[in-house]
Amino acid sequence: MRIDGRNGFTQPAVTAAEETIEQMLTKTGVTIVAVHDAHHFSALWPNLGPWARKGFVGLGMVASGQMSVAAKGTTESVMSTNPIAFATPVAGADLLVFNFATSLISHGDLQLMICKDQTALPGTSIDAQGEETDSPSEILDVGNILPFSCHKGALIAMMIDMLVPD
């Protein structure tokens, strides 16, 4: 199922399609939803949790569009922070949920650090010359966050870029 976000936010676009998504899930047990021409600004798990509470497994990812992640050893951003989330029911317990960016730090965390006058952890980002920086402002301006787990995070980010086209 493809949803046109009409240059709006992802969450209302998905909410508007919930009835159709539920019908597809009930009928087939599987639904792939691709939202395009939309903006994403927060965690993915709130969209997946309700489906997991109904007994379904949810997997969500966003190709955020803004190139801000550079592979180690380079200074050019070639990927987005591309968050991924997973939610599943667990017998006799609450949901199992995870949600994270495929970069060592997310844009949202950097913006919060600026507001709180904090620095980024060492080793999470590089400046325009490829040197480590802990300045959230410089990281957002230059856009060279490193992928988590080096090549593994970079490959997951690349996969998301390919699966979730703009």
Side-chain angles (χ1 to χ4, degrees):
M1 167 182 203
R2 292 185 58 82
I3 300 173
D4 184 351
R6 297 184 179 153
N7 199 30
F9 291 114
T10 302
Q11 290 84 345
V14 171
T15 299
E18 281 182 355
E19 186 177 324
T20 304
I21 294 169
E22 184 154 1
Q23 289 170 356
M24 294 169 76
L25 282 169
T26 302
K27 183 176 180 180
T28 66
V30 177
T31 300
I32 296 174
V33 178
V35 181
H36 63 94
D37 193 25
H39 307 278
H40 180 77
F41 65 91
S42 70
L44 295 169
W45 69 264
N47 291 106
L48 302 176
W51 302 112
R53 290 195 195 298
K54 293 180 180 184
F56 299 104
V57 173
L59 176 65
M61 55 192 91
V62 171
S64 56
Q66 181 180 356
M67 298 301 138
S68 56
V69 178
K72 194 158 183 134
T74 69
T75 58
E76 182 182 354
S77 294
V78 295
M79 295 168 279
S80 301
T81 59
N82 294 354
I84 186 168
F86 174 80
T88 187
V90 177
D94 201 7
L95 307 176
L96 170 65
V97 178
F98 70 72
N99 188 116
F100 58 87
T102 56
S103 54
L104 284 170
I105 194 163
S106 71
H107 272 266
D109 287 339
L110 290 168
Q111 292 164 341
L112 290 172
M113 287 175 187
I114 291 170
C115 292
K116 295 178 181 179
D117 198 29
Q118 297 175 331
T119 58
L121 291 173
T124 58
S125 304
I126 55 175
D127 63 19
Q129 291 73 39
E131 301 296 322
E132 280 191 22
T133 181
D134 64 0
S135 165
S137 296
E138 182 177 18
I139 296 164
L140 288 174
D141 290 342
V142 175
N144 286 325
I145 305 168
L146 296 172
F148 79 87
S149 193
C150 296
H151 69 283
K152 293 176 184 177
L155 291 172
I156 291 172
M158 182 182 70
M159 175 197 71
I160 293 170
D161 274 333
M162 296 173 127
L163 290 174
V164 188
D166 291 349

